Amino acid sequence: MSAALALVARDVRLALRTPAETLTILAFFVIAATLFAFGIGPEPQALARVATGIVWVVALLACLISLDRLFQAEADDGSLDQLVLAPAPLELLVLAKCLAQWLTTALPLVVVSPLVATMLQLSPHGYATLLASLLLGTPSLTLFGAVGAALAVGARKGGALLALIVLPLYVPVLIFAVAAVEASIAGLSPRPHLFLLAGLAVFALTLAPFAASAALRQASE
Amino acid sequence: MESTPTAGLEGRALACRRGGRTVFRALDLAAAPGDLLVLRGANGTGKSSLLRLLAGLLAPSDGRLAWDGEAVDEDPAAHRRRVAYVGHNDALKPTLTLAEHMRFHAALRAVPGDACAAALDAFGLGALAGVPARFLSQGQRRRAALARLVAAPAALWLLDEPTNGLDAASVEALARAVARHRASGGIVVAATHLEFAGASARTLTLGAA
Amino acid sequence: MNWHRYASPANFKRLSDRLLPWAAGGAALFLAAGVWSGLVVSPADYQQGETVRIMYVHVPAAWMSMFVYANMAVAAAAALVWRHPLAEVAGRAIAPVGAAFTFLCLVTGSLWGKPMWGTWWVWDARLTSVLILFFVYLAYMALNAAFDEPERGARASAVLALVGAINLPVIKFSVDWWNTLHQPASVTRLDAPAIDPSMLAPLLAMAIGFTLFFVAVAFVRIRAELVERRLEALRHARVAGEAAAERT
């Protein structure tokens, strides 16, 4: 267990020493959302109707691009061998890396999301649920993304391949999260959707560490 | 054949296939406590593959690998605990200091971190403990990778070209560490072109057949 | 229980030699019968008119898209558990066939949708699920081809095939959920609830024809993959031999 905590601490420390990486992801989040305003037009009603979807899709893409180096960097400098050879189960170490990744990229996205939502004229009734859906949904994004990142270690064309692997797995998260926010805006209870999101997170938590570990063991053969 | 379990590492009829070709096959090896086994052979004869196979990173496509007579794949976690592997890459993060690297490695190997400072000292890096890895030279980085061996003790050292980029004094330091490890009953398997000073090493030449 | 001895490449070749003519012949027979009964014998639907005949291709293609994926998932499990080379080769060989069936299902669905819905594409729950299945096929094939070592690609894509197999029901559920939230219920659905026997006959004939066609193509493609692997191994051996000759 202490090995996993040490790994979380190391990755958080690495992220804090090079804050540019997290800031780049956040900048992508804001800029990509801005592009939608240019694409759709400035009318507040038009933007408000699609705001939830845009915030979520862009947050999802920001998560995706931040995963590119999750395991590839470890493989490139030889650290992956040390992780695979550590006495602790690799599944636990994968979870540790996912937790650190979530803390250093997904959580900042959640914090910035109200700003983006304001720019896109999200209905005031949607904010609380938007934050809740992001908090419940992004762990699934990180976990499924970790599977894709582990599978793509050593591949010839990392980025696009990672998107191709991971995006179909993100569909349920997107559907339930947006449904939750839309329900709140429509004055309905978002709870069933949020429960489904939480269920997805549990599902991802049980499946992803094993799949990602299997992929990492293959990658370090 | 398996009547007398040999102490230490023993491989029988090991075979390795990679990317559709046989790297080596029918390879026997044994290393008892205190042994230094030096792997030799031209490029592509499988020295690195053999080391990865002994580490458990790579499963042998045939044959049996045993420790103290017990098959290694029976209890992979126990094998991971006894292996210390130094590969081609130094596994250093540019922004972490050497002391942080040693402490993390000790935590990862689930051993107390007391030996970290001594490990850096053993390879002449004590003064650089607080320096991030990106400021280090090639040789210093290699020494940091080797210092891990001392920071987190393990019974079986697997070293892939450990002397790459090292000057004579650092090779000396490595030789001393290897000698101490062997004196305390450890095993070293190393792919290297250099002789370790004072080593009654046994040699295994790959690709001879 | 050393069953995979019987699945060695040589034994597979013997088995496929014996079965391939039957599968190919049966496929031709059933497809011909299905096309004839589907286009000539069976009546037009009272509601959908002549366009209902698209269903005789669309529905079997949809079945095959899932059937082939199930085969891939089984092959993936065998490849990961037993590291059986034939299972690795099988997944790589049949994935494009499954993707082609999935694509056929999407195209026929779109062709059917134009007269029915007045547009080429509708986010119908079934069609959307099939679209995502198609994406998973694409990801599988891309990952399989993404590595310099074909074995690594085969094993990585096997993990993906299993992750996909576990996730596809979840995705299907979520798409259904999404669809009921957003779709008015009165749309003509892309499924045929109560089927008249005169329509069932061509449908079954086409389904059997598709399955046999898949078996025949799978045999041919797996054999081609095995030959390619053998060729690769010989090339490696030659390079190794030349390197050894240079040393001496």
Side-chain angles (χ1 to χ4, degrees):
Chain A
M1 202 63 201
S2 66
L5 291 178
L7 185 55
V8 175
R10 185 202 71 166
D11 276 11
V12 170
R13 187 175 284 151
L14 282 173
L16 291 177
R17 298 237 167 118
T18 44
E21 286 182 22
T22 299
L23 292 175
T24 308
I25 301 289
L26 290 179
F28 169 84
F29 184 42
V30 176
I31 291 170
T34 311
L35 281 187
F36 276 94
F38 289 118
I40 290 162
E43 305 98 289
Q45 291 88 344
L47 284 174
R49 241 194 60 68
V50 290
T52 315
I54 295 172
V55 173
W56 249 99
V57 168
V58 177
L60 183 150
L61 292 177
C63 269
L64 176 74
I65 58 172
S66 72
L67 287 162
D68 202 21
R69 303 287 300 158
L70 182 63
F71 295 117
Q72 188 63 53
E74 306 280 358
D76 288 346
D77 68 12
S79 301
L80 183 60
D81 290 337
Q82 300 301 332
L83 295 180
V84 174
L85 288 175
L90 186 56
E91 289 77 8
L92 194 64
L93 299 179
V94 166
L95 269 182
K97 277 205 70 79
C98 288
L99 175 58
Q101 171 76 9
W102 186 82
L103 287 172
T104 55
T105 56
L107 197 55
L109 287 174
V110 177
V111 172
V112 175
S113 63
L115 172 73
V116 176
T118 310
M119 288 164 66
L120 294 170
Q121 316 287 344
L122 181 76
S123 155
H125 306 293
Y127 279 84
T129 314
L130 178 70
L131 287 179
S133 70
L134 282 167
L135 284 172
L136 283 172
T138 46
S140 305
L141 300 185
T142 304
L143 287 160
F144 283 129
V147 177
L151 285 171
V153 167
R156 270 185 246 110
K157 38 189 174 175
L161 179 68
L162 182 60
L164 200 55
I165 295 171
V166 167
L167 289 181
L169 304 178
Y170 281 1
V171 167
V173 181
L174 181 62
I175 287 175
F176 296 135
V178 173
V181 183
E182 296 289 316
S184 282
I185 293 172
L188 303 168
S189 166
R191 290 181 108 208
H193 308 284
L194 292 178
F195 283 143
L196 283 168
L197 266 187
L200 271 182
V202 173
F203 172 66
L205 202 58
T206 48
L207 174 68
F210 294 98
S213 300
L216 288 178
R217 288 197 190 94
Q218 290 172 11
S220 58
E221 275 206 343
Chain B
M1 260 176 111
E2 287 161 40
S3 53
T4 48
T6 2
L9 186 71
E10 189 187 27
R12 274 187 192 281
L14 294 173
C16 173
R17 287 180 63 81
R18 300 206 72 164
R21 84 184 178 102
T22 303
V23 184
F24 54 76
R25 64 164 181 265
L27 184 93
D28 294 318
L29 64 85
D35 273 357
L36 165 62
L37 185 61
V38 175
L39 306 180
R40 293 194 185 281
N43 290 337
T45 50
K47 299 187 295 288
S48 293
S49 294
L50 178 58
L51 283 168
R52 295 182 77 80
L53 191 150
L54 296 178
L57 288 167
L58 182 61
S61 51
D62 201 6
R64 180 174 185 271
L65 185 65
W67 180 267
D68 289 349
E70 293 245 345
V72 155
D73 51 13
E74 301 257 310
D75 190 355
H79 191 63
R80 294 204 299 272
R81 259 192 299 280
R82 68 175 79 95
V83 162
Y85 171 79
V86 177
H88 284 287
N89 294 317
D90 300 321
L92 296 174
K93 301 289 175 192
T95 52
L96 291 190
T97 68
L98 288 186
E100 284 166 342
H101 274 109
M102 292 305 126
R103 273 202 305 277
F104 171 67
H105 190 70
L108 190 67
R109 306 289 318 172
V111 298
D114 331 324
C116 289
L120 289 175
D121 285 336
F123 286 88
L125 295 168
L128 298 174
V131 175
R134 69 171 186 278
F135 296 110
L136 301 182
S137 72
Q138 187 66 40
Q140 287 164 336
R141 295 170 59 88
R142 196 63 186 155
R143 272 143 65 194
L146 293 168
R148 287 204 181 94
L149 295 167
V150 181
L156 174 61
W157 288 9
L158 301 169
L159 315 178
D160 200 350
E161 302 290 354
T163 54
N164 262 6
L166 291 189
D167 55 18
S170 307
V171 174
E172 270 308 299
L174 174 62
R176 276 197 302 276
V178 165
R180 262 199 307 278
H181 181 58
R182 293 173 63 192
S184 64
I187 298 177
V188 182
V189 182
T192 179
H193 299 295
L194 290 173
E195 295 289 355
F196 288 107
S200 50
R202 297 193 297 118
T203 307
L204 178 69
T205 305
L206 279 82
Chain C
M1 189 56 190
N2 195 6
W3 67 267
H4 49 261
R5 194 158 50 86
Y6 301 100
S8 76
N11 284 324
F12 174 79
K13 189 175 176 309
R14 220 166 302 134
L15 181 78
S16 66
D17 273 342
R18 204 170 311 148
L19 292 183
L20 182 57
W22 291 98
L29 203 70
F30 274 97
L31 286 176
V35 166
W36 180 68
S37 67
L39 291 184
V40 181
V41 179
S42 77
D45 188 74
Y46 76 97
Q47 215 182 4
Q48 304 177 16
E50 298 291 341
T51 47
V52 75
R53 302 186 197 281
I54 294 176
M55 287 295 131
Y56 302 136
V57 177
H58 174 80
V59 173
W63 287 344
M64 291 309 290
S65 68
M66 289 178 278
F67 176 68
V68 176
Y69 196 91
N71 275 287
M72 271 168 55
V74 171
L80 290 176
V81 175
W82 292 293
R83 297 194 153 213
H84 196 278
L86 191 61
E88 289 180 4
V89 166
R92 181 185 163 86
I94 65 178
V97 186
F101 278 124
T102 315
F103 187 67
L104 184 65
C105 176
L106 290 171
V107 169
T108 51
S110 166
L111 288 175
W112 182 86
K114 183 62 182 161
M116 284 297 112
W117 296 325
T119 167
W120 292 112
W121 183 259
V122 162
W123 291 93
D124 170 81
R126 280 168 178 249
L127 217 46
T128 309
S129 295
V130 173
L131 180 65
I132 290 172
L133 177 63
F134 183 62
F135 293 156
V136 176
Y137 271 114
L138 291 186
Y140 178 94
M141 292 190 288
L143 185 62
N144 200 309
F147 296 92
D148 292 325
E149 271 184 46
E151 285 170 1
R152 165 101 171 94
R155 289 170 52 67
S157 55
V159 174
L160 180 64
L162 289 181
V163 170
I166 299 171
N167 263 286
L168 281 170
V170 179
I171 295 174
K172 172 99 178 76
F173 169 74
S174 69
V175 169
D176 286 345
W177 178 283
W178 168 76
N179 203 254
T180 49
L181 282 179
H182 294 279
Q183 282 273 330
S186 61
V187 180
T188 314
R189 284 311 176 87
L190 198 69
D191 51 17
I195 286 187
D196 189 83
S198 64
M199 294 181 172
L200 193 61
L203 195 62
L204 283 180
M206 291 299 278
I208 296 171
F210 272 33
T211 310
L212 289 173
F213 173 79
F214 163 66
V215 171
V217 173
F219 276 145
V220 173
R221 286 187 56 87
I222 291 173
R223 283 168 60 162
E225 286 285 341
L226 286 173
V227 169
E228 205 161 298
R229 281 214 167 184
R230 178 99 192 92
L231 213 68
E232 188 90 340
L234 287 174
R235 219 173 272 154
H236 275 302
R238 202 173 132 196
V239 171
E242 275 166 11
E246 246 167 58
R247 276 199 295 274
T248 50

